[in-house]
Amino acid sequence: MSDSSTPQTRPSDTDWEAHVAALWADDTVDDRTRIDRMRELAAVAPHPALGAFELGGAHDSGGQEAAAHEQYAAATAAGLADVDPDRAARLVVQHASTLRNLGRVDEAIVMLRDAPLHPATGVAPRVFLALALHSAGRVDEALRVAIEAVEPTLPRYNRSVRAYAAALTGPDRPQ
């Protein structure tokens, strides 16, 4: 490894997680350096799916969507869902967002519609679904999804908000 902040040999799982967390927390690291360091960490990850996911995230945050897509697909193929369900839930959001940025909006919509509810992501899949629907030009549906995602957090007016949201895409909506 090229840096004292990353391990020289295969670290314990706990140490690897700590190195990954420290790299993500370091705001002084530029995108290229973060990708390079994450590549080194991915090479010594406790499981290939974990390394691919984190490297995908580094590419993603560095604006390299095509490389991120490859890593996210590799993480899925390597069984991330079986290895780390929290990361797998995050992968759905991140990968779908990447697909949307690559112009593969319909794939992103399908992925986000099928995303399970998970504590690691909260309503993020619904928010990113709204963004994907908007990108697809389906603005009323996008607004409905966004409103329905936040409706449960409202202190009141829930029934009215649900009705207004449904009216956005319902059969009686104004044209």
Side-chain angles (χ1 to χ4, degrees):
M1 303 269 151
S2 63
D3 178 297
S4 62
S5 68
T6 55
Q8 296 297 322
T9 59
R10 184 172 178 91
S12 71
D13 293 2
T14 303
D15 287 345
W16 184 83
E17 292 287 356
H19 287 294
V20 169
L23 180 55
W24 281 117
D26 189 346
D27 292 334
T28 66
V29 176
D30 63 41
D31 292 334
R32 182 76 250 154
T33 302
R34 178 170 284 109
I35 291 167
D36 290 343
R37 288 184 186 168
M38 195 63 78
R39 184 175 289 110
E40 293 173 354
L41 286 166
V44 295
H47 190 281
L50 298 174
F53 171 75
E54 293 297 343
L55 184 54
H59 282 293
D60 199 356
S61 71
Q64 297 181 5
E65 282 84 3
H69 165 63
E70 289 177 22
Q71 293 300 316
Y72 290 150
T76 300
L80 185 63
D82 295 327
V83 175
D84 189 326
D86 288 353
R87 278 188 171 104
R90 291 172 33 216
L91 179 130
V92 172
V93 173
Q94 292 172 213
H95 195 182
S97 179
T98 292
L99 290 172
R100 181 179 73 90
N101 290 334
L102 289 170
R104 297 166 61 178
V105 178
D106 292 337
E107 290 174 72
I109 289 170
V110 169
M111 189 178 285
L112 291 162
R113 279 207 192 281
D114 293 342
L117 293 176
H118 194 281
T121 57
V123 297
R126 304 301 293 166
V127 171
F128 280 82
L129 174 58
L131 290 167
L133 290 166
H134 185 272
S135 293
R138 296 159 58 180
V139 294
D140 289 345
E141 191 177 355
L143 181 57
R144 179 178 178 168
V145 167
I147 290 171
E148 288 174 344
V150 299
E151 178 271 324
T153 68
L154 299 176
R156 53 179 22 145
Y157 310 114
N158 302 77
R159 186 176 22 182
S160 296
V161 168
R162 282 192 305 272
Y164 288 135
L168 289 168
T169 59
D172 298 330
R173 70 184 173 141
Q175 300 294 326

